[in-house]
Amino acid sequence: MRSPRLIAVVYLKNEIVVQSENFSKFYPIGSLKKTLEYLNNWGIDEIIILSIDGKYNHTQLKNSIREIHLPITFGGNVRNTNDIKKLLDIGIDKISFNQLLRQNPKKILEFSKIYGNQFIVGSIDIKKNGNYYFEYDYKNKKVLNENIIKKIKSYQEYGIGEFFINFVDKDGLGKNLDLKLSKKIASSISTPLIVCGGAKDINKIIQFYKLTSANPAIGNLFHHFENSARLIKEQLFSEFKEIRDPEYKYYKLNNLEKILGRNEN
């Protein structure tokens, strides 16, 4: 089994990077440019930038990604081919669609035919209501009462190249990814799947990947633990005997506890 991609999720609100918790609390982290520089320098494989409020400064985004040599997905109120062209021109590799996917999936199919489905990421927020899970409309704060697996399967018809699902109830809490539902979703669709919400313990992240084949994505962990990306890379290399980062040979293998202990002194 190949090593998963190390995917970092960066949330923007009011054009600054924030930490999200349950899609309801947001704590400022800092500038987008500095955050992306850190992720780029420490060997992240891919970055997903999501504008929570749909606002972004095009010039700021352009300047922030100029020196980033990684695949970048962007999501945030992208509505038409003009929006897409502007993002492509500054170096964005893929576009994530959330609201538009729900409101007008035929538009997504149109984009897929123009740009290819490898360019299209279908973003779906999932929230638990009682004992069941449903798609969640963040903008209108509304749970959509449809079977979530059937809904995701239906979205495959609209040219989605990859799904990105985010568990609202686990967002920002570090209580581990939702294994049970993610496994059901992954086995029900033929489209590659990225799962976010709750990732913290690297051993459980690896177990999640092995059991679901869905690629985990990580957000808050990278903001609060020094050398976190590097340490995760080391663990992935130990587990899968391969690494996606060609510069890994320059890393020094270290014990997690020793590094954290040294940094705290």
Side-chain angles (χ1 to χ4, degrees), residues 98-224:
N98 184 288
Q99 287 277 74
L100 190 62
L101 177 61
R102 274 196 312 278
Q103 296 169 349
N104 190 358
K106 290 183 179 179
K107 194 71 175 176
I108 306 300
L109 180 60
E110 178 185 320
F111 295 153
S112 180
K113 289 178 178 178
I114 296 171
Y115 301 102
N117 68 351
Q118 77 284 347
F119 175 76
I120 307 293
V121 177
S123 174
I124 301 168
D125 301 322
I126 296 177
K127 187 171 177 60
K128 193 172 185 180
N129 188 14
N131 294 321
Y132 300 96
Y133 291 89
F134 300 97
E135 185 175 7
Y136 180 67
D137 180 347
Y138 166 73
K139 186 174 182 180
N140 297 303
K141 305 293 186 289
K142 183 179 179 182
V143 173
L144 307 179
N145 192 21
E146 297 180 63
N147 181 282
I148 188 62
I149 294 179
K150 288 183 179 179
K151 191 65 177 176
I152 295 174
K153 287 176 71 174
S154 73
Y155 284 144
Q156 289 187 117
E157 301 174 12
Y158 298 101
I160 304 297
E162 190 166 39
F163 282 110
F164 172 84
I165 64 172
N166 201 342
F167 285 88
V168 176
D169 302 297
K170 287 180 170 285
D171 175 54
L173 300 180
K175 294 184 178 180
N176 301 313
L177 296 158
D178 192 303
L179 176 61
K180 188 176 180 180
L181 183 58
S182 299
K183 191 174 182 179
K184 286 183 179 179
I185 294 172
S187 64
S188 301
I189 61 176
S190 57
T191 307
L193 178 64
I194 300 171
V195 178
C196 188
K200 183 177 181 180
D201 185 305
I202 181 58
N203 292 314
K204 290 184 178 179
I205 291 171
I206 289 172
Q207 181 187 36
F208 172 89
Y209 172 66
K210 285 182 172 182
L211 293 174
T212 66
S213 295
N215 205 115
I218 301 170
N220 296 333
L221 179 63
F222 293 130
H223 299 312
H224 299 294

Side-chain angles (χ1 to χ4, degrees), residues 40-143:
N40 184 68
N41 291 339
W42 283 107
I44 296 296
D45 298 320
E46 191 171 329
I47 298 172
I48 298 174
I49 304 171
L50 300 175
S51 176
I52 295 170
D53 52 12
K55 299 176 183 177
Y56 65 96
N57 182 300
H58 188 269
T59 301
Q60 178 206 41
L61 185 60
K62 179 181 178 180
N63 292 336
S64 297
I65 70 173
R66 181 175 292 157
E67 301 299 325
I68 308 302
H69 307 293
L70 300 170
I72 298 177
T73 298
F74 179 82
N77 200 32
V78 180
R79 310 291 298 183
N80 52 54
T81 53
N82 186 50
D83 292 338
I84 291 172
K85 185 179 184 303
K86 288 180 179 179
L87 291 167
L88 283 174
D89 287 346
I90 65 172
I92 296 297
D93 299 283
K94 294 185 281 187
I95 303 292
S96 174
F97 295 95
N98 184 288
Q99 287 277 74
L100 190 62
L101 177 61
R102 274 196 312 278
Q103 296 169 349
N104 190 358
K106 290 183 179 179
K107 194 71 175 176
I108 306 300
L109 180 60
E110 178 185 320
F111 295 153
S112 180
K113 289 178 178 178
I114 296 171
Y115 301 102
N117 68 351
Q118 77 284 347
F119 175 76
I120 307 293
V121 177
S123 174
I124 301 168
D125 301 322
I126 296 177
K127 187 171 177 60
K128 193 172 185 180
N129 188 14
N131 294 321
Y132 300 96
Y133 291 89
F134 300 97
E135 185 175 7
Y136 180 67
D137 180 347
Y138 166 73
K139 186 174 182 180
N140 297 303
K141 305 293 186 289
K142 183 179 179 182
V143 173

